[in-house]
PDB file of all heavy atoms in Angstrom:
ATOM      1  N   ILE A  10      -3.836  21.448   2.575  1.00 95.00           N
ATOM      2  CA  ILE A  10      -3.569  22.842   2.241  1.00 95.00           C
ATOM      3  C   ILE A  10      -2.178  22.883   1.611  1.00 95.00           C
ATOM      4  O   ILE A  10      -1.231  22.278   2.118  1.00 95.00           O
ATOM      5  CB  ILE A  10      -3.645  23.751   3.492  1.00 95.00           C
ATOM      6  CG1 ILE A  10      -5.064  23.726   4.070  1.00 95.00           C
ATOM      7  CG2 ILE A  10      -3.207  25.173   3.169  1.00 95.00           C
ATOM      8  CD1 ILE A  10      -6.140  24.218   3.126  1.00 95.00           C
ATOM      9  N   HIS A  14       1.075  29.472   5.942  1.00 95.00           N
ATOM     10  CA  HIS A  14       1.381  29.023   7.299  1.00 95.00           C
ATOM     11  C   HIS A  14       0.651  27.739   7.690  1.00 95.00           C
ATOM     12  O   HIS A  14       1.041  27.077   8.648  1.00 95.00           O
ATOM     13  CB  HIS A  14       1.123  30.143   8.319  1.00 95.00           C
ATOM     14  CG  HIS A  14      -0.312  30.435   8.585  1.00 95.00           C
ATOM     15  ND1 HIS A  14      -1.072  31.242   7.778  1.00 95.00           N
ATOM     16  CD2 HIS A  14      -1.132  30.005   9.570  1.00 95.00           C
ATOM     17  CE1 HIS A  14      -2.299  31.312   8.254  1.00 95.00           C
ATOM     18  NE2 HIS A  14      -2.357  30.571   9.335  1.00 95.00           N
ATOM     19  N   LEU A  15      -0.374  27.363   6.941  1.00 94.00           N
ATOM     20  CA  LEU A  15      -1.088  26.105   7.202  1.00 94.00           C
ATOM     21  C   LEU A  15      -0.633  24.981   6.256  1.00 94.00           C
ATOM     22  O   LEU A  15      -1.280  23.934   6.180  1.00 94.00           O
ATOM     23  CB  LEU A  15      -2.599  26.304   7.047  1.00 94.00           C
ATOM     24  CG  LEU A  15      -3.260  27.242   8.047  1.00 94.00           C
ATOM     25  CD1 LEU A  15      -4.699  27.504   7.661  1.00 94.00           C
ATOM     26  CD2 LEU A  15      -3.161  26.680   9.457  1.00 94.00           C
ATOM     27  N   SER A  18      -1.381  21.126   6.299  1.00 94.00           N
ATOM     28  CA  SER A  18      -2.495  20.831   7.199  1.00 94.00           C
ATOM     29  C   SER A  18      -3.560  20.100   6.400  1.00 94.00           C
ATOM     30  O   SER A  18      -3.710  20.313   5.198  1.00 94.00           O
ATOM     31  CB  SER A  18      -3.092  22.121   7.771  1.00 94.00           C
ATOM     32  OG  SER A  18      -2.150  22.793   8.563  1.00 94.00           O
ATOM     33  N   LEU A  20      -7.624  19.019   5.840  1.00 93.00           N
ATOM     34  CA  LEU A  20      -9.019  19.360   6.089  1.00 93.00           C
ATOM     35  C   LEU A  20      -9.835  18.080   6.006  1.00 93.00           C
ATOM     36  O   LEU A  20      -9.701  17.313   5.050  1.00 93.00           O
ATOM     37  CB  LEU A  20      -9.537  20.345   5.033  1.00 93.00           C
ATOM     38  CG  LEU A  20      -8.803  21.669   4.878  1.00 93.00           C
ATOM     39  CD1 LEU A  20      -9.446  22.487   3.766  1.00 93.00           C
ATOM     40  CD2 LEU A  20      -8.804  22.432   6.185  1.00 93.00           C
ATOM     41  N   GLY A  63     -10.959  29.107   0.318  1.00 98.00           N
ATOM     42  CA  GLY A  63     -10.896  30.204   1.281  1.00 98.00           C
ATOM     43  C   GLY A  63      -9.866  29.981   2.371  1.00 98.00           C
ATOM     44  O   GLY A  63      -9.198  30.926   2.811  1.00 98.00           O
ATOM     45  N   ILE A  64      -9.728  28.740   2.831  1.00 97.00           N
ATOM     46  CA  ILE A  64      -8.710  28.436   3.851  1.00 97.00           C
ATOM     47  C   ILE A  64      -7.318  28.584   3.258  1.00 97.00           C
ATOM     48  O   ILE A  64      -6.410  29.113   3.902  1.00 97.00           O
ATOM     49  CB  ILE A  64      -8.937  27.044   4.468  1.00 97.00           C
ATOM     50  CG1 ILE A  64     -10.246  27.039   5.272  1.00 97.00           C
ATOM     51  CG2 ILE A  64      -7.760  26.646   5.358  1.00 97.00           C
ATOM     52  CD1 ILE A  64     -10.661  25.672   5.793  1.00 97.00           C
ATOM     53  N   GLU A  65      -7.152  28.152   2.022  1.00 97.00           N
ATOM     54  CA  GLU A  65      -5.857  28.337   1.338  1.00 97.00           C
ATOM     55  C   GLU A  65      -5.529  29.831   1.264  1.00 97.00           C
ATOM     56  O   GLU A  65      -4.379  30.244   1.482  1.00 97.00           O
ATOM     57  CB  GLU A  65      -5.914  27.719  -0.058  1.00 97.00           C
ATOM     58  CG  GLU A  65      -4.594  27.631  -0.761  1.00 97.00           C
ATOM     59  CD  GLU A  65      -3.733  26.441  -0.356  1.00 97.00           C
ATOM     60  OE1 GLU A  65      -4.222  25.300  -0.311  1.00 97.00           O
ATOM     61  OE2 GLU A  65      -2.535  26.682  -0.091  1.00 97.00           O
ATOM     62  N   ALA A  66      -6.528  30.663   0.961  1.00 98.00           N
ATOM     63  CA  ALA A  66      -6.316  32.112   0.897  1.00 98.00           C
ATOM     64  C   ALA A  66      -5.876  32.651   2.259  1.00 98.00           C
ATOM     65  O   ALA A  66      -4.923  33.440   2.344  1.00 98.00           O
ATOM     66  CB  ALA A  66      -7.588  32.811   0.426  1.00 98.00           C
ATOM     67  N   LEU A  67      -6.552  32.227   3.331  1.00 98.00           N
ATOM     68  CA  LEU A  67      -6.170  32.674   4.680  1.00 98.00           C
ATOM     69  C   LEU A  67      -4.764  32.195   5.031  1.00 98.00           C
ATOM     70  O   LEU A  67      -3.985  32.940   5.626  1.00 98.00           O
ATOM     71  CB  LEU A  67      -7.180  32.173   5.704  1.00 98.00           C
ATOM     72  CG  LEU A  67      -8.558  32.824   5.648  1.00 98.00           C
ATOM     73  CD1 LEU A  67      -9.557  32.056   6.500  1.00 98.00           C
ATOM     74  CD2 LEU A  67      -8.490  34.290   6.073  1.00 98.00           C
ATOM     75  N   SER A  68      -4.437  30.977   4.654  1.00 98.00           N
ATOM     76  CA  SER A  68      -3.109  30.432   4.923  1.00 98.00           C
ATOM     77  C   SER A  68      -2.024  31.259   4.252  1.00 98.00           C
ATOM     78  O   SER A  68      -0.921  31.393   4.773  1.00 98.00           O
ATOM     79  CB  SER A  68      -3.033  28.976   4.424  1.00 98.00           C
ATOM     80  OG  SER A  68      -1.754  28.433   4.641  1.00 98.00           O
ATOM     81  N   ALA A  71      -4.422  36.209   3.282  1.00 98.00           N
ATOM     82  CA  ALA A  71      -5.640  37.001   3.103  1.00 98.00           C
ATOM     83  C   ALA A  71      -6.082  37.547   4.457  1.00 98.00           C
ATOM     84  O   ALA A  71      -5.910  36.881   5.488  1.00 98.00           O
ATOM     85  CB  ALA A  71      -6.755  36.154   2.486  1.00 98.00           C
ATOM     86  N   ALA A  72      -6.632  38.736   4.476  1.00 98.00           N
ATOM     87  CA  ALA A  72      -7.065  39.354   5.727  1.00 98.00           C
ATOM     88  C   ALA A  72      -8.275  38.638   6.310  1.00 98.00           C
ATOM     89  O   ALA A  72      -8.372  38.449   7.528  1.00 98.00           O
ATOM     90  CB  ALA A  72      -7.389  40.825   5.505  1.00 98.00           C
ATOM     91  N   ARG A  73      -9.208  38.257   5.441  1.00 98.00           N
ATOM     92  CA  ARG A  73     -10.391  37.552   5.913  1.00 98.00           C
ATOM     93  C   ARG A  73     -11.047  36.819   4.751  1.00 98.00           C
ATOM     94  O   ARG A  73     -10.860  37.189   3.590  1.00 98.00           O
ATOM     95  CB  ARG A  73     -11.373  38.492   6.595  1.00 98.00           C
ATOM     96  CG  ARG A  73     -11.997  39.545   5.710  1.00 98.00           C
ATOM     97  CD  ARG A  73     -12.922  40.469   6.497  1.00 98.00           C
ATOM     98  NE  ARG A  73     -14.227  39.869   6.699  1.00 98.00           N
ATOM     99  CZ  ARG A  73     -15.300  40.155   5.980  1.00 98.00           C
ATOM    100  NH1 ARG A  73     -15.231  41.039   5.017  1.00 98.00           N
ATOM    101  NH2 ARG A  73     -16.441  39.565   6.221  1.00 98.00           N
ATOM    102  N   THR A  74     -11.815  35.807   5.106  1.00 98.00           N
ATOM    103  CA  THR A  74     -12.600  35.075   4.127  1.00 98.00           C
ATOM    104  C   THR A  74     -13.989  34.836   4.689  1.00 98.00           C
ATOM    105  O   THR A  74     -14.123  34.321   5.805  1.00 98.00           O
ATOM    106  CB  THR A  74     -11.958  33.715   3.757  1.00 98.00           C
ATOM    107  OG1 THR A  74     -10.692  33.945   3.139  1.00 98.00           O
ATOM    108  CG2 THR A  74     -12.841  32.936   2.786  1.00 98.00           C
ATOM    109  N   PHE A  76     -17.086  32.576   4.154  1.00 98.00           N
ATOM    110  CA  PHE A  76     -17.499  31.325   3.533  1.00 98.00           C
ATOM    111  C   PHE A  76     -19.020  31.277   3.508  1.00 98.00           C
ATOM    112  O   PHE A  76     -19.657  31.600   4.507  1.00 98.00           O
ATOM    113  CB  PHE A  76     -16.994  30.125   4.343  1.00 98.00           C
ATOM    114  CG  PHE A  76     -15.497  30.043   4.466  1.00 98.00           C
ATOM    115  CD1 PHE A  76     -14.833  30.666   5.516  1.00 98.00           C
ATOM    116  CD2 PHE A  76     -14.753  29.328   3.536  1.00 98.00           C
ATOM    117  CE1 PHE A  76     -13.453  30.579   5.634  1.00 98.00           C
ATOM    118  CE2 PHE A  76     -13.369  29.239   3.647  1.00 98.00           C
ATOM    119  CZ  PHE A  76     -12.718  29.868   4.697  1.00 98.00           C
ATOM    120  N   LEU A  87     -16.788  22.720   7.908  1.00 96.00           N
ATOM    121  CA  LEU A  87     -15.907  23.861   7.646  1.00 96.00           C
ATOM    122  C   LEU A  87     -15.596  24.601   8.945  1.00 96.00           C
ATOM    123  O   LEU A  87     -14.434  24.922   9.231  1.00 96.00           O
ATOM    124  CB  LEU A  87     -16.568  24.774   6.614  1.00 96.00           C
ATOM    125  CG  LEU A  87     -15.871  26.052   6.217  1.00 96.00           C
ATOM    126  CD1 LEU A  87     -14.414  25.851   5.887  1.00 96.00           C
ATOM    127  CD2 LEU A  87     -16.598  26.675   5.043  1.00 96.00           C
ATOM    128  N   ARG A  88     -16.623  24.860   9.755  1.00 97.00           N
ATOM    129  CA  ARG A  88     -16.394  25.500  11.060  1.00 97.00           C
ATOM    130  C   ARG A  88     -15.445  24.651  11.919  1.00 97.00           C
ATOM    131  O   ARG A  88     -14.549  25.188  12.584  1.00 97.00           O
ATOM    132  CB  ARG A  88     -17.719  25.691  11.807  1.00 97.00           C
ATOM    133  CG  ARG A  88     -18.550  26.812  11.313  1.00 97.00           C
ATOM    134  CD  ARG A  88     -19.806  27.022  12.202  1.00 97.00           C
ATOM    135  NE  ARG A  88     -20.736  27.852  11.504  1.00 97.00           N
ATOM    136  CZ  ARG A  88     -21.729  27.414  10.723  1.00 97.00           C
ATOM    137  NH1 ARG A  88     -21.959  26.129  10.584  1.00 97.00           N
ATOM    138  NH2 ARG A  88     -22.510  28.274  10.109  1.00 97.00           N
ATOM    139  N   ASP A  89     -15.670  23.333  11.918  1.00 96.00           N
ATOM    140  CA  ASP A  89     -14.817  22.438  12.711  1.00 96.00           C
ATOM    141  C   ASP A  89     -13.367  22.494  12.239  1.00 96.00           C
ATOM    142  O   ASP A  89     -12.449  22.527  13.052  1.00 96.00           O
ATOM    143  CB  ASP A  89     -15.335  21.000  12.627  1.00 96.00           C
ATOM    144  CG  ASP A  89     -16.684  20.807  13.321  1.00 96.00           C
ATOM    145  OD1 ASP A  89     -17.114  21.692  14.088  1.00 96.00           O
ATOM    146  OD2 ASP A  89     -17.322  19.757  13.054  1.00 96.00           O
ATOM    147  N   ASN A  90     -13.157  22.504  10.919  1.00 96.00           N
ATOM    148  CA  ASN A  90     -11.795  22.590  10.385  1.00 96.00           C
ATOM    149  C   ASN A  90     -11.136  23.909  10.758  1.00 96.00           C
ATOM    150  O   ASN A  90      -9.969  23.937  11.153  1.00 96.00           O
ATOM    151  CB  ASN A  90     -11.796  22.411   8.863  1.00 96.00           C
ATOM    152  CG  ASN A  90     -11.881  20.958   8.435  1.00 96.00           C
ATOM    153  OD1 ASN A  90     -11.277  20.085   9.056  1.00 96.00           O
ATOM    154  ND2 ASN A  90     -12.623  20.696   7.378  1.00 96.00           N
ATOM    155  N   LEU A  91     -11.873  25.019  10.654  1.00 97.00           N
ATOM    156  CA  LEU A  91     -11.322  26.322  11.031  1.00 97.00           C
ATOM    157  C   LEU A  91     -10.926  26.339  12.503  1.00 97.00           C
ATOM    158  O   LEU A  91      -9.850  26.833  12.859  1.00 97.00           O
ATOM    159  CB  LEU A  91     -12.333  27.433  10.740  1.00 97.00           C
ATOM    160  CG  LEU A  91     -12.598  27.750   9.272  1.00 97.00           C
ATOM    161  CD1 LEU A  91     -13.807  28.678   9.132  1.00 97.00           C
ATOM    162  CD2 LEU A  91     -11.378  28.361   8.612  1.00 97.00           C
ATOM    163  N   ALA A  92     -11.783  25.783  13.363  1.00 97.00           N
ATOM    164  CA  ALA A  92     -11.490  25.757  14.802  1.00 97.00           C
ATOM    165  C   ALA A  92     -10.304  24.844  15.106  1.00 97.00           C
ATOM    166  O   ALA A  92      -9.402  25.225  15.860  1.00 97.00           O
ATOM    167  CB  ALA A  92     -12.731  25.295  15.573  1.00 97.00           C
ATOM    168  N   ARG A  93     -10.287  23.659  14.516  1.00 96.00           N
ATOM    169  CA  ARG A  93      -9.203  22.700  14.776  1.00 96.00           C
ATOM    170  C   ARG A  93      -7.848  23.265  14.359  1.00 96.00           C
ATOM    171  O   ARG A  93      -6.840  23.078  15.030  1.00 96.00           O
ATOM    172  CB  ARG A  93      -9.488  21.388  14.038  1.00 96.00           C
ATOM    173  CG  ARG A  93      -8.449  20.304  14.270  1.00 96.00           C
ATOM    174  CD  ARG A  93      -8.819  18.990  13.589  1.00 96.00           C
ATOM    175  NE  ARG A  93      -9.170  19.120  12.191  1.00 96.00           N
ATOM    176  CZ  ARG A  93      -8.295  19.248  11.192  1.00 96.00           C
ATOM    177  NH1 ARG A  93      -7.004  19.283  11.437  1.00 96.00           N
ATOM    178  NH2 ARG A  93      -8.699  19.349   9.941  1.00 96.00           N
ATOM    179  N   LEU A  94      -7.834  23.997  13.227  1.00 96.00           N
ATOM    180  CA  LEU A  94      -6.582  24.573  12.721  1.00 96.00           C
ATOM    181  C   LEU A  94      -6.276  25.948  13.324  1.00 96.00           C
ATOM    182  O   LEU A  94      -5.268  26.549  12.995  1.00 96.00           O
ATOM    183  CB  LEU A  94      -6.628  24.667  11.196  1.00 96.00           C
ATOM    184  CG  LEU A  94      -6.728  23.335  10.452  1.00 96.00           C
ATOM    185  CD1 LEU A  94      -6.939  23.569   8.966  1.00 96.00           C
ATOM    186  CD2 LEU A  94      -5.502  22.478  10.706  1.00 96.00           C
ATOM    187  N   LYS A  95      -7.194  26.439  14.175  1.00 96.00           N
ATOM    188  CA  LYS A  95      -7.039  27.747  14.819  1.00 96.00           C
ATOM    189  C   LYS A  95      -6.861  28.870  13.790  1.00 96.00           C
ATOM    190  O   LYS A  95      -6.000  29.742  13.938  1.00 96.00           O
ATOM    191  CB  LYS A  95      -5.885  27.731  15.815  1.00 96.00           C
ATOM    192  CG  LYS A  95      -6.103  26.749  16.958  1.00 96.00           C
ATOM    193  CD  LYS A  95      -4.916  26.713  17.899  1.00 96.00           C
ATOM    194  CE  LYS A  95      -5.134  25.828  19.091  1.00 96.00           C
ATOM    195  NZ  LYS A  95      -5.279  24.429  18.836  1.00 96.00           N
ATOM    196  N   VAL A  96      -7.679  28.813  12.736  1.00 94.00           N
ATOM    197  CA  VAL A  96      -7.616  29.794  11.653  1.00 94.00           C
ATOM    198  C   VAL A  96      -8.358  31.063  12.072  1.00 94.00           C
ATOM    199  O   VAL A  96      -9.504  30.998  12.500  1.00 94.00           O
ATOM    200  CB  VAL A  96      -8.227  29.219  10.353  1.00 94.00           C
ATOM    201  CG1 VAL A  96      -8.240  30.268   9.262  1.00 94.00           C
ATOM    202  CG2 VAL A  96      -7.456  27.987   9.913  1.00 94.00           C
ATOM    203  N   GLN A  97      -7.693  32.192  11.934  1.00 94.00           N
ATOM    204  CA  GLN A  97      -8.292  33.493  12.226  1.00 94.00           C
ATOM    205  C   GLN A  97      -8.763  34.134  10.925  1.00 94.00           C
ATOM    206  O   GLN A  97      -8.161  33.934   9.881  1.00 94.00           O
ATOM    207  CB  GLN A  97      -7.266  34.403  12.902  1.00 94.00           C
ATOM    208  CG  GLN A  97      -6.727  33.862  14.203  1.00 94.00           C
ATOM    209  CD  GLN A  97      -7.794  33.718  15.263  1.00 94.00           C
ATOM    210  OE1 GLN A  97      -8.553  34.640  15.529  1.00 94.00           O
ATOM    211  NE2 GLN A  97      -7.867  32.547  15.864  1.00 94.00           N
ATOM    212  N   GLY A  98      -9.839  34.918  10.992  1.00 97.00           N
ATOM    213  CA  GLY A  98     -10.290  35.681   9.829  1.00 97.00           C
ATOM    214  C   GLY A  98     -11.294  34.972   8.950  1.00 97.00           C
ATOM    215  O   GLY A  98     -11.656  35.485   7.899  1.00 97.00           O
ATOM    216  N   GLY A  99     -11.762  33.809   9.374  1.00 97.00           N
ATOM    217  CA  GLY A  99     -12.752  33.091   8.586  1.00 97.00           C
ATOM    218  C   GLY A  99     -14.102  33.086   9.272  1.00 97.00           C
ATOM    219  O   GLY A  99     -14.181  32.864  10.481  1.00 97.00           O
ATOM    220  N   ASP A 100     -15.162  33.356   8.529  1.00 97.00           N
ATOM    221  CA  ASP A 100     -16.519  33.324   9.065  1.00 97.00           C
ATOM    222  C   ASP A 100     -17.374  32.494   8.120  1.00 97.00           C
ATOM    223  O   ASP A 100     -17.283  32.666   6.895  1.00 97.00           O
ATOM    224  CB  ASP A 100     -17.075  34.745   9.186  1.00 97.00           C
ATOM    225  CG  ASP A 100     -18.425  34.757   9.852  1.00 97.00           C
ATOM    226  OD1 ASP A 100     -18.565  34.169  10.947  1.00 97.00           O
ATOM    227  OD2 ASP A 100     -19.366  35.340   9.273  1.00 97.00           O
TER     228      ASP A 100
END
Side-chain angles (χ1 to χ4, degrees):
I10 297 299
H14 73 278
L15 295 172
S18 296
L20 302 179
I64 293 173
E65 190 81 48
L67 290 168
S68 179
R73 65 182 279 260
T74 297
F76 299 90
L87 178 48
R88 284 185 195 93
D89 292 346
N90 280 321
L91 290 169
R93 182 176 51 79
L94 297 173
K95 298 178 176 65
V96 176
Q97 300 297 310
D100 185 52

